[in-house]
Amino acid sequence: MPVKKEKKQLSLNVVSNKEHRGFGAGTIDLSAVSCVMIDNGEAYIDVGAMHAKSKIEKGIKFSANKEDVPNGRLCWIVWVAVDRNEEGSYYAGATACPMLIDTEARRGWKILAQHVNNLDYAIKRRFVLDELGAEEKAALKGLLVAHNAEWWDRSPEVLKEALN
């Protein structure tokens, strides 16, 4: 009986900075992107958000209609990209996406296309933080500085201005 050859599945691979050629080449390198969640004025890193499995997203059925989540609280995912130059690492891109979460009803609202586009913008070293309120900006800045003050110091002025 001939051995059946396993078919390779095409998927979005999370790859490192290694040179990669062959099947899956051209995949997006997500190794320098982190997810920051902002919930009730508190910012924290949640790696599960990369796959829509953050602490606040687990068990939530999402809809594209805001009306489906009338009692939802506003939460944010902030995609933060880190890069390196001669001086060292720095926060190179950051984009924020809103979500409404009703934990009790297990319902939520988000626009998946915006999350995907903003992740892409962060990877492309853009800053899209204008939708954040003053409390959220302060929480994000506090987390970024506390996580690594040297990275914050080396970050572009456009980020510092956006969070002041």
Side-chain angles (χ1 to χ4, degrees), residues 18 25 34 45-46 51 67-68 73 80 90 103 107 111 135 144:
K18 292 183 269 201
S34 292
I45 296 171
D46 190 330
H51 302 286
E67 300 77 37
D68 294 344
R73 71 182 187 282
V80 179
Y90 62 97
T103 309
R107 306 230 5 113
I111 300 170
E135 183 183 24
L144 295 177

Side-chain angles (χ1 to χ4, degrees), residues 26-108:
T27 54
I28 300 169
D29 183 357
L30 299 174
S31 62
V33 179
S34 292
C35 310
V36 174
M37 304 302 292
I38 303 175
D39 186 11
N40 290 320
E42 181 193 353
Y44 58 91
I45 296 171
D46 190 330
V47 293
M50 188 65 75
H51 302 286
K53 291 185 167 107
S54 68
K55 186 174 88 177
I56 60 176
E57 291 173 290
K58 281 185 182 168
I60 302 292
K61 181 174 173 32
F62 282 95
S63 167
N65 298 319
K66 266 187 172 177
E67 300 77 37
D68 294 344
V69 193
N71 300 318
R73 71 182 187 282
L74 182 61
C75 301
W76 296 87
I77 290 182
V78 183
W79 306 109
V80 179
V82 176
D83 205 349
R84 238 185 126 64
N85 60 19
E86 313 80 49
E87 297 162 26
S89 295
Y90 62 97
Y91 300 115
T95 56
C97 305
M99 295 187 302
L100 292 176
I101 303 289
D102 184 341
T103 309
E104 225 173 88
R106 300 175 70 99
R107 306 230 5 113

